[in-house]
Amino acid sequence: MEKIENIRLNENGDALILLDQTRLPGEIRYLVIESREQLFEAITKLRVRGAPAIGIAAAYGYYLCALRDKDQEDFFRRMDDAERYLASARPTAVNLTWALARMRAALKRNALKPRDEIVALLKEEATAIHREDIEANKRISEYGMSVLSPGMGVLTHCNAGPLATSRYGTALGPILLAHEQGVELHVFADETRPLLQGARLTAFELKNAGVDVTLICDNMAGEVMKEGKVQAVFVGCDRAARNGDAANKIGTSSLAVLAKYYGVPFYMLMPLSTVDMNTASGRDIKIEQRDPEEVTALIFRERMAPDGVKVYNPAFDVVEHELITAIITEEGVITEPFEENFTKAFERKKERTEKTDA
Ligand code: MRU
């Protein structure tokens, strides 16, 4: 699978190069990120977006903060500040806080080493987070393929493709892998209002790969299901609670209800880094509220809503676990009871990683 490199360090390892996803599909433009403020801006403005991608970017950002900190005094306090600051960029995708917590743990483990060694180890940790996401996405793609069959219609929402991750993608991974192996599917991509990640990014990625993709407006999903054109829904996830409730782009939960009504299996695909065992249920997931301008003006040439109109703009919603047919992770296809089966999946991952490391 060909991949535009969306996140990487520059050759000197002292800046982060990010593909600006807000410019797609019209323009491939890379940003050079040198400060935590630039990274914060890139995450909040969705220049880098998708749960795994923001986690990876934040991990590199944390390393850059350490690299660029030349003061001996109060280094650990400043790193804690940097972690809090970056973590506050977006609240819903757990991968952001998960990756930063992993970076902090690496810092604390090596706290007594000389500064340049600490910095080198942080670079290694960020690179490991990136590499492990590639591996997880590859495995998710393989497991995801097991529920697909040739000629199926698959509906997806938002963008959970290579751009949203490190490579391959979660929801789009199995579709791209199937295509690579000559298995053709028909994909319906919801445009995904208000920011059109489906139209701008999913349609772009699938079309470039040669996958048969049809773009639809969000309010057409029910109709294509009713017409029998969809045999599976594949979406990504920003945070799954331990009971299996799972938050994803706004509109996902109504898709799950539609899928239930029309008898279409509903799959959520995610790495285990998106499963938050510290969150009991969907009620405990903080949903990001975004700028009203995204709804009233951002994608239009002219403003399309009256000045001062009240706007509600939640970026995500939660799918109740009863509506999820299965959650597909790098440790296999997980079904109810989710808490028990997540725990087993984390154990399998631990065993597998220990074996690989040995
Ligand atoms: O607001 P976004 O574009 O970051 O929302 C992204 C999604 O909802 C994705 O489906 C999710 O992060 C999974 S990406 C593999």
Side-chain angles (χ1 to χ4, degrees):
M1 251 171 267
E2 233 181 90
K3 161 90 175 78
I4 300 175
E5 217 172 1
N6 55 344
I7 307 169
R8 68 175 171 89
L9 284 178
N10 68 355
E11 269 157 31
N12 298 333
D14 62 1
L16 185 59
I17 311 294
L18 291 182
L19 175 69
D20 186 347
Q21 298 191 37
T22 63
R23 300 276 173 170
L24 292 171
E27 192 188 347
I28 306 278
R29 181 190 287 200
Y30 291 93
L31 304 166
V32 181
I33 303 287
E34 293 176 316
S35 68
R36 63 183 212 173
E37 288 74 20
Q38 286 173 321
L39 181 56
F40 185 91
E41 195 271 350
I43 295 174
T44 51
K45 292 275 160 51
L46 313 195
R47 300 186 195 287
V48 57
R49 49 143 300 283
I54 60 178
I56 296 161
Y60 282 125
Y62 187 92
Y63 147 70
L64 288 178
C65 288
L67 175 77
R68 286 170 177 267
D69 190 316
K70 298 296 174 208
D71 230 330
Q72 285 310 316
E73 299 282 296
D74 281 344
F75 171 61
F76 293 97
R77 190 188 49 73
R78 278 194 304 286
M79 289 307 294
D80 286 344
D81 277 355
E83 178 187 350
R84 266 193 302 275
Y85 176 70
L86 290 173
S88 70
R90 294 191 79 189
T92 306
V94 70
N95 302 62
L96 180 60
T97 42
W98 170 86
L100 287 166
R102 234 180 101 162
M103 294 301 288
R104 182 196 343 117
L107 177 73
K108 300 281 146 84
R109 261 198 320 276
N110 296 294
L112 299 178
K113 299 202 164 101
R115 176 77 71 87
D116 53 350
E117 257 183 64
I118 294 181
V119 171
L121 288 163
L122 289 178
K123 184 179 179 191
E124 246 175 55
E125 189 69 7
T127 311
I129 288 173
H130 195 171
R131 191 184 53 242
E132 287 166 26
D133 191 69
I134 297 175
E135 173 68 21
N137 276 253
K138 193 158 171 251
R139 291 171 61 90
I140 291 168
S141 306
E142 283 158 2
Y143 282 118
M145 262 188 47
S146 68
V147 302
L148 292 172
S149 43
M152 246 185 175
V154 181
L155 189 139
T156 190
H157 188 67
C158 194
N159 172 264
L163 287 165
T165 64
S166 50
R167 199 176 294 168
Y168 309 110
T170 55
L172 299 192
I175 296 165
L176 291 165
L177 189 60
H179 176 74
E180 234 179 46
Q181 299 183 2
V183 177
E184 290 310 336
L185 305 157
H186 309 289
V187 181
F188 290 91
D190 279 354
E191 61 174 355
T192 317
R193 277 279 284 142
L195 294 176
L196 301 179
Q197 288 93 329
R200 293 188 301 103
L201 309 174
T202 297
F204 168 78
E205 290 190 306
L206 293 180
K207 192 163 177 297
N208 277 355
V211 173
D212 174 16
V213 56
T214 303
L215 181 64
I216 58 172
C217 297
D218 299 329
N219 51 7
M220 297 170 188
E223 182 55 27
V224 291
M225 287 190 203
K226 187 191 270 192
E227 289 172 14
K229 294 189 165 118
V230 175
Q231 284 71 48
V233 176
F234 267 33
V235 290
C237 178
D238 286 85
R239 182 187 302 244
R242 67 169 178 267
N243 72 340
D245 291 352
N248 189 47
K249 179 52 56 195
I250 190 75
T252 305
S253 104
S254 40
L255 270 186
V257 174
L258 282 172
K260 178 104 179 163
Y261 184 79
Y262 289 112
V264 175
F266 185 89
Y267 298 100
M268 296 188 78
L269 297 93
M270 65 193 80
L272 287 175
S273 54
T274 301
V275 178
D276 180 7
M277 294 299 270
N278 295 319
T279 294
S281 81
R283 279 191 303 279
D284 308 304
I285 298 178
K286 182 161 188 224
I287 300 296
E288 175 182 10
Q289 296 293 327
R290 294 188 59 87
D291 187 348
E293 287 278 296
E294 291 180 350
V295 175
T296 55
L298 212 63
I299 61 159
F300 304 112
R301 275 175 200 269
E302 286 169 36
R303 190 182 176 86
M304 293 297 283
D307 269 340
V309 67
K310 269 200 276 179
V311 172
Y312 179 51
N313 186 15
F316 301 97
D317 59 22
V318 172
V319 182
E320 285 73 24
H321 60 273
E322 298 86 347
L323 296 174
I324 303 174
T325 308
I327 289 179
I328 302 180
T329 73
E330 68 271 37
E331 295 305 327
V333 179
I334 296 175
T335 50
E336 295 259 28
F338 285 113
E339 180 167 353
E340 192 181 321
N341 290 334
F342 279 150
T343 305
K344 287 186 188 151
F346 277 108
E347 279 162 10
R348 279 200 300 281
K349 174 145 189 159
K350 192 159 174 267
E351 264 170 41
R352 197 169 50 79
T353 322
E354 280 166 0
K355 246 188 237 155
T356 325
D357 290 347

